[in-house]
Every structure is written in structure tokens, then in C-alpha cells.
Amino acid sequence: MTTRPTTSVPDAAPAENRRIAALRQAAQDEHEQAVQRAEAGIRRLVKAGEEINFRAVARAAGVSPDFLYAHTDLRKRIETLRGQQRADHRPLRQDPSADDGTVIHSLTEALRRERAAHRERVQELEQRLAAAHGEILRLQRRLRERGDAPR
């Protein structure tokens, strides 16, 4: 009976397990960084008084909307802020923190008031334009009825 010499095959399992663990850790780190970017994006949008929605947060954070929908805590926070904005009918702003200067606060408030005034003025002008278009149509019909319509 001949015995075969046993060949020593290095066990590849520990090296493979280390690679798998490293990949898992890298994926976890990337996920945590994406969550931090999303949270920072939400804070920036709120502070700027911008509309909060999934697309805006995704753009601000450099993540996909699917990532935001899949992350329960971020999803709830975005939905809550979006609901608050809709209830207020104006962009949600955070109160200035203690380290914000009064000049920044004053300028921000002035800018907010100017934006609101501009929005109201645009609405008024759009209504006046629509009324003018209606009047033009009415006058054109009258001219056609009289047979004086321009050709």
C-alpha cells in the first residue's frame, strides 16, 4: 500500500473572509457617508428656505431618491418637513442659532420679505395679463360680429 504524500494547500478561506469583511465594511462606510450627506443636504435646504422634497434633497446630497425612500429615518424626516411646508404654504426656515449674526438674520429676513413681495407682484401681473387677454378676445369677437375684423 502506497501512501500519497499530502500536499499542503494553503487554506484560502481566511484570506477570502478578510476580503469579504473589508468589502462589507467599505459598503457600510459608504452608506453612513451617504446618510450624513443626506442629513447635511436637508439642513442646507431648510436653512436656505428651499422646498423640501425627495428630489431636492437627493440633488443637494448627491444621493439617489431611491436611497432616501429606502432609508426609513430620512424618509420620515423629509415627509415631515414637506408636510410642514405645505401646511405653512411657505418655505420652512430654522430659527437662527446663537452663532448667527444679527446682520445675517436681518438680511435673510429682508430677502424673505422681498421674495414674498415679488411672488405676490408676479401673481398680480399674471392676473392682469389674463384679464387683458380676455378683454382682447372680447373686443375681437365684437369686431367680427360687426364685420370690422382686421384681416
Side-chain angles (χ1 to χ4, degrees), residues 7 19 21 35 64 125:
T7 57
R19 283 193 299 270
V35 169
S64 72
L125 290 173

Side-chain angles (χ1 to χ4, degrees), residues 21-79:
L23 287 173
R24 283 188 179 140
Q25 185 61 47
Q28 179 64 31
D29 291 346
E30 187 175 329
H31 178 81
E32 289 174 7
Q33 289 172 358
V35 169
Q36 290 173 354
R37 287 194 317 269
E39 290 172 350
I42 292 170
R43 284 191 302 273
R44 279 194 308 273
L45 290 172
V46 168
K47 191 168 187 172
E50 299 293 327
E51 183 178 357
I52 305 294
N53 59 47
F54 286 92
R55 289 192 187 275
V57 173
R59 251 190 327 270
V63 298
S64 72
D66 291 338
F67 173 81
L68 298 172
Y69 281 110
H71 195 280
T72 308
D73 293 337
L74 291 172
R75 181 179 185 153
K76 286 179 183 176
R77 185 164 176 213
I78 292 168
E79 289 171 344

